[in-house]
Every structure is written in structure tokens, then in C-alpha cells.
């Protein structure tokens, strides 16, 4: 297989490689992992951005940079398969790893727990922030104890000013639960001050397959409600893209 010679280069620089390699690698990835939910998320994100209905931001706790890489590959392939002229398609998203990064008017993809790109550097410039990776318990504690930590500030800002849709995670992350609990306390205090003491629905949702038994559904509902999150059931991960389109009113 020829692509094994350059797949790392394509994944590291999806905007710079030739159109032939873009199409080949994108087809290979989708054909090799047809059930990967990340492809559904990436396709939704591009379609929503093109229709001016993209998210305000994307927050990821994954260490890999594959989401933004696939979005760029998918955008270029769709562009090349459409009628000419062909140049480069618009790029709607940009990865941000720390407080020094700017979005430049694009939709930011925040890597809250650091990131690892296929190649660490291009020349002398780093392409990721593997020095900010959070895996070990002491790393979680260090992040949680930093009251002005960048990841905490970014997460809390979006949790307090937007409606968040969680997907592809177990919701057992210690920091996420602590941050969401703090946001819910503040939200309840606000609604109480406004005289709205009968708030029925939480502001944020967790998209996940619906458990088969009622007891599991009730347990998940109760375990999320105090965090200001309610489950949004889907029948399976194959419905993820459609569910995101429904949320954003994307057709």
C-alpha cells in the first residue's frame, strides 16, 4: 500500500499535501473505520459551519488531533469532488492548545488536556502541547487546584455562557464533573434570584445510546441532573450525526 509511506505527513499537514493524497487517505480512513463516530462529528461540524450554524466552540479532552485533521481532509476532498475551479476550500476551524493561541475568526477547537500531533515539530516550531497532557492523578489534581488554569477558565466560560452538548465520553472525568457542579450551583442561584424556582430542564445535554432497561435510564438521569446535564437518548452511535444536525437545525 503506497499511502503507508506518507500517511503520517498527510495527518500532520492535511492542508499542504496534494489533492490525490488527501482523497486517498480520507477514503482509506472512512473505509477502514466505517463505524467511527468521530467521522459523524466531523461531517456535522463542517456542514454546520458552511451553513453558518456551527458551534461557538468545540472542547475536547482527547490528546489526539484527529478531529481537526479529519475535518480538513473531508473539506478538501469534498471540494475536489465538486465542480471546478479548485483551489483550497474555506477552513472553518482552528485548534487551540493554550492561552497564547488565537482563533483568527475561526471556530476554536480547544484541547483542554493538551494534545499530541503525529509529528511533534515542523522545523523548530512545536505542533502540539504534549507538555500539557493530563492522564495521571497528580496531573488532574494540579489542574483542579489551579484556580486560573487555562483549561478550567475555557471550560467554565463556555459552560456558563452557552448550551453544551457532550458526546463520546463517559462523564466520569473528575474535572468535568467538578466544573459542571459549580456551574449548576451558580445557575440555580441565578434562577432563584429571578423567581424561577421550577426549572424543569437542565441547560446542557449528554448524547448517548439509550440503555435497554428503565432502571439504568433513571440512574443516569439522577446522576446527571445535579450537574445541570440531562441525557439525550439515541438508538445507537449511527444516529449521532443526525442528532447533532437536529440540535443545530442543520438540514
Amino acid at each position: 500500500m503506497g499511502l503507508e509511506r506518507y500517511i503520517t505527513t498527510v495527518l500532520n499537514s492535511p492542508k499542504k499535501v496534494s489533492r490525490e493524497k488527501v482523497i486517498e487517505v480520507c477514503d482509506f480512513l472512512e473505509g477502514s473505520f466505517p463505524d467511527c463516530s468521530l467521522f459523524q462529528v466531523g461531517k456535522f461540524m463542517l456542514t454546520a459551519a458552511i451553513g453558518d450554524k456551527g458551534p461557538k466552540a468545540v472542547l475536547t479532552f482527547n490528546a489526539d488531533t484527529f478531529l481537526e485533521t479529519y475535518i480538513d481532509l473531508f473539506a478538501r476532498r469534498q471540494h475536489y469532488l465538486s465542480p471546478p475551479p479548485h483551489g483550497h476550500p474555506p477552513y472553518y476551524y482552528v485548534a487551540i492548545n493554550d492561552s497564547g493561541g488565537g482563533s483568527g475568526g475561526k471556530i476554536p477547537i480547544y484541547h483542554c488536556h493538551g494534545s499530541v500531533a503525529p509529528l511533534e515539530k515542523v522545523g523548530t516550531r512545536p505542533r502540539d502541547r504534549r507538555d500539557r497532557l493530563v492522564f495521571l492523578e497528580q496531573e488532574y489534581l494540579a489542574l483542579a487546584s489551579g484556580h486560573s488554569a487555562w483549561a478550567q477558565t475555557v471550560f467554565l466560560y463556555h459552560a456558563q455562557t452557552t448550551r453544551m452538548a457532550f458526546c463520546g465520553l463517559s462523564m466520569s472525568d473528575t474535572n468535568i464533573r467538578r466544573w459542571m457542579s459549580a456551574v449548576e450551583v451558580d445557575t440555580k442561584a441565578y434562577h432563584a434570584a429571578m423567581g424561577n424556582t421550577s426549572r424543569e430542564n437542565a441547560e446542557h445535554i449528554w448524547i448517548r445510546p439509550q440503555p435497554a432497561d428503565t432502571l439504568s435510564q433513571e440512574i443516569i438521569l439522577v446522576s446527571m441532573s445535579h450537574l445541570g446535564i440531562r441525557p439525550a437518548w439515541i438508538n445507537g452511535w449511527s444516529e449521532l450525526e443526525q442528532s447533532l444536525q437536529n440540535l443545530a437545525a442543520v438540514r
Side-chain angles (χ1 to χ4, degrees):
M1 183 179 296
L3 62 82
E4 65 185 12
R5 295 181 287 106
Y6 47 77
I7 189 170
T8 300
T9 301
V10 173
L11 295 178
N12 201 69
S13 302
K15 298 177 182 176
K16 297 181 179 179
V17 295
S18 68
R19 57 181 291 176
E20 292 78 16
K21 291 178 180 178
V22 165
I23 295 174
E24 181 182 8
V25 171
C26 197
D27 289 346
F28 167 76
L29 292 171
E30 292 176 350
S32 300
F33 309 99
D35 298 325
C36 179
S37 59
L38 181 141
F39 297 149
Q40 295 187 61
V41 174
K43 291 175 181 177
F44 157 76
M45 287 171 58
L46 182 61
T47 303
I50 291 174
D52 198 27
K53 294 184 178 181
K56 183 174 182 179
V58 178
L59 281 66
T60 176
F61 290 81
N62 292 342
D64 63 85
T65 58
F66 190 55
L67 176 59
E68 55 265 37
T69 298
Y70 173 72
I71 292 173
D72 289 342
L73 289 174
F74 180 69
R76 289 190 66 188
R77 185 188 64 180
Q78 297 306 102
H79 174 70
Y80 296 139
L81 295 179
S82 64
H86 295 142
H88 270 273
Y91 296 112
Y92 297 93
Y93 294 87
V94 61
I96 297 180
N97 292 283
D98 53 40
S99 57
S103 62
K106 298 181 180 180
I107 301 172
I109 299 177
Y110 293 107
H111 284 272
C112 295
H113 282 179
S115 63
V116 178
L119 296 177
E120 181 178 3
K121 294 182 178 181
V122 174
T124 59
R125 188 170 69 90
R127 293 296 303 276
D128 60 28
R129 288 305 303 269
R130 58 190 65 195
D131 57 304
R132 298 177 67 100
L133 294 178
V134 177
F135 285 117
L136 303 177
E137 182 176 0
Q138 57 264 37
E139 294 168 340
Y140 273 91
L141 293 175
L143 180 61
S145 62
H147 296 296
S148 60
W150 173 77
Q152 175 174 273
T153 302
V154 167
F155 187 96
L156 289 175
Y157 168 76
H158 288 92
Q160 291 173 325
T161 60
T162 70
R163 302 291 179 92
M164 303 180 79
F166 296 91
C167 62
L169 71 169
S170 67
M171 296 305 296
S172 63
D173 184 284
T174 304
N175 284 335
I176 291 179
R177 297 187 67 87
R178 187 177 69 87
W179 294 335
M180 291 305 298
S181 177
V183 170
E184 177 64 4
V185 169
D186 187 67
T187 301
K188 283 183 175 180
Y190 168 79
H191 282 282
M194 296 294 106
N196 180 18
T197 58
S198 60
R199 183 170 62 107
E200 296 182 359
N201 290 322
E203 275 74 7
H204 312 284
I205 64 172
W206 177 27
I207 303 174
R208 56 152 295 154
Q210 183 174 15
D213 60 290
T214 303
L215 178 59
S216 295
Q217 296 176 28
E218 293 177 351
I219 291 175
I220 291 174
L221 178 62
V222 172
S223 67
M224 291 290 106
S225 60
H226 72 286
L227 302 179
I229 303 171
R230 65 184 188 274
W233 305 124
I234 55 178
N235 293 321
W237 288 116
S238 61
E239 296 184 355
L240 179 57
E241 182 179 1
Q242 180 182 356
S243 67
L244 291 170
Q245 289 175 341
N246 289 340
L247 284 174
V250 174
R251 297 185 181 274

